[in-house]
Amino acid sequence: MSSSSQPGTPGLDDEPRSIRKRRAILEAATTLFLRNGYLGTSMDEIAALARVSKQTVYKAFSDKESLFSEIVISAVNEAADPVHASVLELEDTGDIEADLHAFARQLLGQVMQPRILQLRRLVIGEAGRFPELGRTFYAQGPGRTIAALATVLERLAGRGLLQLDDPLLAAAHFNWLVMSIPLNKAMFLGEDEAPASAELDGWADAGVRAFLAAYGRP
Amino acid sequence: MSSSSQPGTPGLDDEPRSIRKRRAILEAATTLFLRNGYLGTSMDEIAALARVSKQTVYKAFSDKESLFSEIVISAVNEAADPVHASVLELEDTGDIEADLHAFARQLLGQVMQPRILQLRRLVIGEAGRFPELGRTFYAQGPGRTIAALATVLERLAGRGLLQLDDPLLAAAHFNWLVMSIPLNKAMFLGEDEAPASAELDGWADAGVRAFLAAYGRP
């Protein structure tokens, strides 16, 4: 272990600068990808907007696809991490109806953030050319939430709080009942502003009511 | 009525040629838009692939956006028209469960056609820049199906076959329960081949079962 990586030891002098540069590159690239699309953005333009040399960009990211991938993965994880934490808490619920409503509202609020909507559109638009990136978005986003929710729903069914044969199917139905209506509108209408949170809460609540009518205890 | 438009009378000599050219332009444009995106496609390339002059392209379509719009609208209508006809027939159903299953399978089969999936990705990817086109796709596609289905579901509820307070909400839940799972995977995974029809039928059936559990007669 080199001395510079020991806990409590300050890093190399240039480390903070390289982190700052990395962040500037990521911000510039995000701005340009969202404005001009993936194909319409060059590493030269990213370097210029980030005010770094092209060499610096290539030192930090081996190519445009890696840079795009890092942006998408970190944005999706930032939205999905708090949702994932909440899914796990559902298992010990003392009030399944109230807790599913609260969870659905949180889930929808994360998905409908303007930046996440914009990236979702961009990844879908490029999925024919860059299916790997689409797979990553799907796996880290809806795929991860649905898988975790399936485990929890199965345990809630085991406690007699739900009725279901196929936990993964039930979790997917929950996910899309909660988000499909506002999400599909947002995908097509291209609006950058998310609807008011009262409106989103209404869609989340309606989705949970339908889910509980289908999968709740009789 | 001029003689050239009477049934059985051949049209003007140049009419078939202009129709052939128009079709060639639309096919070339569709190929290029799907391959290179909207921004990555020029009217020059469309003319070259269609083997017509650029003037001919501009005579048929005032600009690239009109051409793109015509492609999207005609593809969406081609998929949505038979669905719309089936929705209307649901009203007189003698077996709501069987008929909703058959309708759901048809609906999902239309939506999951490779060409419709590709256009859907393209329109979503461009929705930030061309929101008008996204609005048209939404209105002619899911918006139209959901609105027609809402009217029919309300009448079925009036016949005592369903239980619902909000027909438009119930119709949207039906639509997305049926298609969200395979559609969202297809959007992100960028696969051009639709899943096998047996797999799609399984998703459609699962969606209808959840819908009937939530909105069916107790």
Side-chain angles (χ1 to χ4, degrees):
Chain A
M1 192 190 257
S2 80
S3 65
S4 68
S5 64
Q6 281 176 3
T9 308
L12 298 169
D13 275 358
D14 63 347
E15 203 189 17
R17 188 147 46 114
S18 78
I19 289 174
R20 266 203 315 279
K21 282 187 180 177
R22 190 180 172 87
R23 191 176 309 119
I25 293 166
L26 287 168
E27 281 171 13
T30 304
T31 301
L32 291 168
F33 285 139
L34 292 176
R35 187 193 301 155
N36 302 327
Y38 181 81
L39 288 178
T41 299
S42 72
M43 292 293 253
D44 279 328
E45 291 165 320
I46 293 168
L49 187 62
R51 298 177 183 227
V52 301
S53 72
K54 200 172 162 182
Q55 287 86 334
T56 303
V57 176
Y58 278 107
K59 221 170 92 184
F61 302 95
S62 56
D63 53 29
K64 192 167 77 165
E65 198 171 348
S66 316
L67 177 47
F68 188 38
S69 179
E70 163 123 1
I71 287 168
V72 170
I73 292 170
S74 64
V76 172
N77 285 344
E78 207 175 297
D81 285 347
V83 168
H84 196 73
S86 299
V87 171
L88 304 179
E89 286 171 18
L90 278 175
E91 198 177 324
D92 303 315
T93 180
D95 183 344
I96 187 171
E97 198 175 324
D99 287 349
L100 282 181
H101 277 276
F103 171 68
R105 288 174 172 212
Q106 181 198 15
L107 173 62
L108 188 55
Q110 290 288 344
V111 164
M112 295 292 292
Q113 291 176 83
R115 180 53 50 102
I116 297 292
L117 291 176
Q118 291 164 349
L119 284 172
R120 192 180 195 103
R121 277 193 221 105
L122 187 56
V123 169
I124 288 175
E126 299 295 348
R129 277 182 292 267
F130 303 102
E132 193 49 56
L133 199 65
R135 264 193 285 278
T136 302
F137 191 112
Y138 185 85
Q140 303 292 314
R144 182 181 171 208
T145 300
I146 290 168
L149 187 59
T151 304
V152 170
L153 295 182
E154 187 169 22
R155 292 189 186 149
L156 295 177
R159 286 175 57 193
L161 299 173
L162 295 173
Q163 287 195 303
L164 46 91
D165 301 324
D166 183 340
L168 208 53
L169 177 68
H173 280 165
F174 180 94
N175 188 73
W176 301 119
L177 276 170
V178 166
M179 67 179 67
S180 288
I181 297 174
L183 181 58
N184 279 282
K185 279 188 187 151
M187 284 298 98
F188 283 111
L189 306 191
E191 285 157 4
D192 285 349
E193 293 299 314
S197 73
E199 190 189 329
L200 289 183
D201 287 352
W203 292 124
D205 290 347
V208 174
R209 280 195 302 272
F211 175 82
L212 285 172
Y215 290 104
R217 212 162 36 175
Chain B
M1 192 188 260
S2 79
S3 65
S4 68
S5 63
Q6 279 175 4
T9 308
L12 297 169
D13 275 356
D14 63 345
E15 205 189 15
R17 187 147 46 112
S18 77
I19 289 174
R20 267 204 313 278
K21 281 187 182 177
R22 191 181 171 87
R23 191 177 309 119
I25 294 166
L26 287 167
E27 281 171 13
T30 304
T31 302
L32 291 168
F33 284 140
L34 292 176
R35 187 193 299 154
N36 303 325
Y38 180 81
L39 288 177
T41 299
S42 72
M43 292 292 253
D44 280 327
E45 292 165 318
I46 293 168
L49 187 62
R51 298 177 183 228
V52 301
S53 72
K54 200 172 161 181
Q55 286 86 334
T56 303
V57 176
Y58 278 108
K59 221 170 93 185
F61 301 95
S62 58
D63 52 29
K64 192 167 76 165
E65 199 171 348
S66 315
L67 178 47
F68 189 38
S69 180
E70 163 124 359
I71 287 169
V72 169
I73 292 170
S74 64
V76 171
N77 285 345
E78 207 175 297
D81 286 346
V83 168
H84 196 72
S86 299
V87 170
L88 303 180
E89 286 171 19
L90 278 175
E91 199 177 325
D92 303 315
T93 181
D95 183 343
I96 188 171
E97 197 175 325
D99 287 349
L100 282 181
H101 278 276
F103 171 67
R105 288 173 173 213
Q106 182 198 15
L107 173 63
L108 187 55
Q110 290 288 343
V111 164
M112 295 292 291
Q113 291 177 83
R115 180 53 51 101
I116 297 291
L117 291 176
Q118 292 163 348
L119 284 172
R120 192 180 195 103
R121 276 193 222 107
L122 186 56
V123 168
I124 288 175
E126 299 294 348
R129 276 181 292 267
F130 302 100
E132 193 49 56
L133 199 65
R135 262 193 287 276
T136 303
F137 191 112
Y138 185 84
Q140 303 294 314
R144 182 181 171 207
T145 301
I146 290 168
L149 187 58
T151 304
V152 171
L153 294 182
E154 187 170 23
R155 290 184 189 155
L156 295 175
R159 288 176 54 195
L161 299 172
L162 295 172
Q163 288 195 303
L164 46 90
D165 300 324
D166 182 340
L168 207 54
L169 178 68
H173 280 165
F174 181 94
N175 187 74
W176 301 119
L177 277 169
V178 166
M179 67 178 68
S180 288
I181 296 174
L183 181 59
N184 279 282
K185 278 188 187 151
M187 284 297 99
F188 283 112
L189 307 191
E191 285 157 3
D192 284 349
E193 294 299 312
S197 74
E199 190 188 328
L200 289 183
D201 287 352
W203 292 124
D205 290 346
V208 174
R209 280 195 301 273
F211 175 82
L212 285 173
Y215 290 103
R217 211 161 39 174

